[in-house]
Amino acid sequence: MPEFKPPRPGEVAIPLPSEFDAHLFFIGRIRTPWASAAECPKNARARADVVATIEIDPRFREGLRDLSLFSHAIALYWLHQSRRDLIAQVPSHLGSPRGVFALRSPVRPNPIGLAVVEIVTVEEGRLFVRNIDCVDGTPLIDLKPYFASTDSVPDAVRP
């Protein structure tokens, strides 16, 4: 695990469990122009001009069949460069602590990223998408079709 800076005032770090509860199969890698987390956009829609490539492992490519019927998909990915021990964080835009589960930060016990991506095209084991915000080489956990009828909550609130 990489070395991380000490927590900021107000942040809370916890000891992590010594064993894992589950195992994952990474089904591919996401290729983006960003080499570090600092370069990634905070809001992927702000960089809708960028077309990223999701490369699917050959064993899982058959799973892409019919995904091109959809305009959007949900991508779940493993934020492999993120620290995992902070349970409370002080986001720079807030200046006061918040619990990790009240944030969209990549720093979390299970650093799973989620993006609703626009499908540009699907070809030969690759998915070309817009609206993703991770570093180049990020492992892909899963893809699911996006259904506006059930995945969108127009009256949801946020502080």
Side-chain angles (χ1 to χ4, degrees), residues 63-76:
L64 289 175
R65 185 172 8 138
D66 298 326
L67 187 60
S68 62
L69 298 173
F70 298 89
S71 65
H72 291 75
I74 297 169
L76 299 167

Side-chain angles (χ1 to χ4, degrees), residues 2 7 53 63 77 79 90 105 112 123 133:
T53 304
Y77 41 100
L79 300 164
V90 179
S105 166
I112 297 171
E123 55 185 61
D133 60 354

Side-chain angles (χ1 to χ4, degrees), residues 38-103:
E39 296 174 47
C40 292
K42 295 285 186 214
N43 178 344
R45 294 194 193 282
R47 291 303 315 271
D49 60 313
V50 174
V51 175
T53 304
I54 298 176
E55 299 172 343
I56 303 298
D57 182 288
R59 293 171 287 198
F60 302 107
R61 287 183 180 169
E62 181 62 23
L64 289 175
R65 185 172 8 138
D66 298 326
L67 187 60
S68 62
L69 298 173
F70 298 89
S71 65
H72 291 75
I74 297 169
L76 299 167
Y77 41 100
W78 191 258
L79 300 164
H80 61 296
Q81 295 181 1
S82 295
R83 72 183 293 165
R84 301 176 67 178
D85 63 339
L86 293 185
I87 202 67
Q89 299 173 46
V90 179
S92 57
H93 69 283
L94 291 177
S96 60
R98 258 202 194 157
V100 68
F101 305 126
L103 297 169

Side-chain angles (χ1 to χ4, degrees), residues 4-158:
F4 296 107
K5 297 177 192 174
R8 294 183 261 195
E11 293 184 330
V12 177
I14 60 168
L16 296 172
S18 59
E19 295 181 17
F20 294 101
D21 294 325
H23 300 277
L24 296 172
F25 295 111
F26 295 140
I27 63 168
R29 297 277 170 177
I30 303 169
R31 299 295 172 197
T32 70
W34 305 297
S36 70
E39 296 174 47
C40 292
K42 295 285 186 214
N43 178 344
R45 294 194 193 282
R47 291 303 315 271
D49 60 313
V50 174
V51 175
T53 304
I54 298 176
E55 299 172 343
I56 303 298
D57 182 288
R59 293 171 287 198
F60 302 107
R61 287 183 180 169
E62 181 62 23
L64 289 175
R65 185 172 8 138
D66 298 326
L67 187 60
S68 62
L69 298 173
F70 298 89
S71 65
H72 291 75
I74 297 169
L76 299 167
Y77 41 100
W78 191 258
L79 300 164
H80 61 296
Q81 295 181 1
S82 295
R83 72 183 293 165
R84 301 176 67 178
D85 63 339
L86 293 185
I87 202 67
Q89 299 173 46
V90 179
S92 57
H93 69 283
L94 291 177
S96 60
R98 258 202 194 157
V100 68
F101 305 126
L103 297 169
R104 297 288 299 259
S105 166
V107 177
R108 47 200 329 105
N110 291 309
I112 297 171
L114 177 149
V116 175
V117 297
E118 176 188 352
I119 298 171
V120 176
T121 190
V122 181
E123 55 185 61
E124 299 180 15
R126 293 178 300 172
L127 180 65
F128 296 88
V129 301
R130 286 191 179 93
N131 304 325
I132 201 157
D133 60 354
C134 58
V135 299
D136 185 53
T138 295
L140 180 69
I141 298 172
D142 204 358
L143 290 167
K144 299 175 185 287
Y146 174 84
F147 298 116
S149 59
T150 56
D151 295 325
S152 176
V153 184
D155 57 346
V157 297
R158 74 174 250 222

